[in-house]
Amino acid sequence: MDGRISNIAQVASLRRYHLAGGAQDRLEVIDCDNGKLRFLLNVSKACDIMQLYHKGQNVSFISKNGFTKREAPFLNRFEGGMLYTCGLDNTGDREGYEMHGRFHNTPAEILRAECNEDGITVEAAIRDTSLFGQSLVMRRRITSALGSDHLIIEDTLCNEGFRDEEYCLLYHINVGYPMLDEGARILADPAEYFARNDFSRENAETRYEISASVPNQPECCYYLSLREPQIALVNERLGKVFRLSYTKDTLPYFLEWKSMASGDYALGLEPSTTMLDSSFAYKTVAPGAKIGFRIDIAVEEI
């Protein structure tokens, strides 16, 4: 260690605690700070990323619901957050299934949580099991080097059962103010795109533009067939760029969700195993098989 540093906490830290008060009461959190990026992991909710800060500035969309441990209908509890993982039983809105699946609402088992000279490492297991049914385990590894602009999520889906199992997965990555603001723009290189609904189709020319907030404006959603598994949001006024890359072999689809509505001002960048609605389709994992997924998030100054 550098002789000027008495304790690693002078330059980076990892702290575990429970939130108190209101709907968030008793949520378990791992608060990670690498000296440049600070990210809060929601242990009570699949070790998803509650919030991300770059040099003290918020990057994430946090909905008016805030964070909650209580059970409630999806629209009354969806917090957004930097990462809300959807699956493994469902993504989207399908009859007979919880909106965006049950994965996010499953508490994680923490296997490792360290902050040292090599950086921050958190490893967790999230289990999706049923008597006489599936035995799926997602092994999640989140890492960030000291002083780095990057945060890496490596997920490995393991079928610990004795039969083929169906699964789906969508990484709902949500950007909010001040990273998301009027004049920001999305940098994408799609071979083609498809609008999910009529309003999206009517506004397709501005699909990569971020406007001011508009009261009661409907959301837009697009499927982007990206040539390379990467996309960015540039905010020149803020002087920062948000970058996302992912494993296209295991996440072949990508959705852009854009809500410019006042009070619900958000951008969702969503790698997925499947399309939604009538085009939804499961993947299959064989007994004993493992399937890997990787998400790389970076926030850089320009």
Side-chain angles (χ1 to χ4, degrees):
M1 184 180 288
D2 190 314
R4 297 168 295 176
I5 300 172
S6 301
N7 189 302
I8 192 71
Q10 292 177 231
V11 292
S13 62
L14 184 152
R15 296 182 172 91
R16 301 181 66 173
Y17 50 75
H18 288 79
L19 299 179
Q24 66 183 2
D25 193 53
R26 296 180 293 110
L27 282 177
E28 184 180 354
V29 174
I30 302 180
D31 189 335
C32 306
D33 189 336
N34 75 3
K36 187 176 291 184
L37 289 181
R38 180 185 174 205
F39 49 99
L40 277 59
L41 306 179
N42 194 340
V43 177
S44 301
K45 303 282 185 176
C47 211
D48 274 343
I49 304 172
M50 301 172 72
Q51 199 153 5
L52 175 68
Y53 304 86
H54 179 262
K55 291 190 171 182
Q57 288 182 312
N58 174 64
V59 178
S60 325
F61 166 67
I62 310 298
S63 81
K64 60 176 72 77
N65 296 327
F67 299 101
T68 179
K69 189 161 182 157
R70 67 187 176 89
E71 293 297 323
F74 178 83
L75 293 179
N76 299 110
R77 65 165 172 75
F78 177 67
E79 66 265 37
M82 189 74 261
L83 170 63
Y84 185 111
T85 307
C86 307
L88 297 164
D89 58 322
N90 183 47
T91 58
D93 187 8
R94 298 167 60 226
E95 186 175 354
Y97 293 88
E98 181 177 349
M99 178 74 168
H100 277 323
R102 57 178 174 252
F103 184 89
H104 173 77
N105 291 312
T106 304
E109 174 189 357
I110 300 301
L111 307 175
R112 178 186 177 193
E114 294 181 1
C115 176
N116 54 37
E117 293 179 63
D118 295 326
I120 292 170
T121 301
V122 176
E123 296 178 353
I126 302 96
R127 300 181 181 276
D128 184 350
T129 62
S130 175
L131 181 66
F132 307 125
Q134 76 278 5
S135 183
L136 298 174
V137 181
M138 184 72 85
R139 300 197 178 275
R140 172 160 284 184
R141 186 171 189 265
I142 301 172
T143 56
S144 187
L146 298 190
S148 171
D149 293 311
H150 288 255
L151 166 66
I152 299 169
I153 303 111
E154 296 170 289
D155 284 347
T156 304
L157 179 62
C158 311
N159 184 354
E160 296 186 349
F162 299 91
R163 67 183 195 190
D164 289 349
E165 294 293 351
E166 295 182 326
Y167 74 93
C168 57
L169 190 63
L170 182 149
Y171 291 88
H172 211 299
I173 297 161
N174 308 290
V175 183
Y177 180 84
M179 187 67 229
L180 187 73
D181 201 358
E182 182 180 9
R185 66 188 189 278
I186 298 167
L187 298 182
D189 183 21
E192 55 185 342
Y193 76 92
F194 303 97
R196 191 180 173 198
N197 56 34
D198 289 340
F199 184 79
S200 302
R201 193 173 301 108
E202 293 164 4
N203 291 272
E205 290 185 0
T206 60
R207 62 189 177 277
Y208 303 139
E209 299 173 9
I210 305 302
S211 71
S213 66
V214 181
N216 304 311
Q217 179 167 295
E219 62 186 356
C220 289
C221 188
Y222 303 96
Y223 296 105
L224 305 181
S225 181
L226 298 175
R227 290 187 173 89
E228 298 295 332
Q230 58 191 27
I231 196 167
L233 175 72
V234 178
N235 186 327
E236 293 181 352
R237 182 185 302 174
L238 194 64
K240 293 184 180 182
V241 57
F242 176 90
R243 301 188 189 278
L244 169 66
S245 58
Y246 58 96
T247 48
K248 192 173 183 178
D249 57 335
T250 53
L251 296 164
Y253 299 96
F254 191 92
L255 290 86
E256 173 199 343
W257 169 60
K258 190 174 76 166
S259 172
M260 299 290 93
S262 300
D264 296 301
Y265 194 67
L267 174 68
L269 303 173
E270 307 170 17
S272 176
T273 62
T274 177
M275 298 177 75
L276 305 181
D277 307 320
S278 62
S279 298
F280 175 89
Y282 286 110
K283 300 288 187 182
T284 302
V285 56
K290 299 179 180 181
I291 302 172
F293 311 88
R294 177 182 167 121
I295 301 290
D296 190 322
I297 292 172
V299 185
E300 301 167 345
E301 294 179 317
I302 54 177

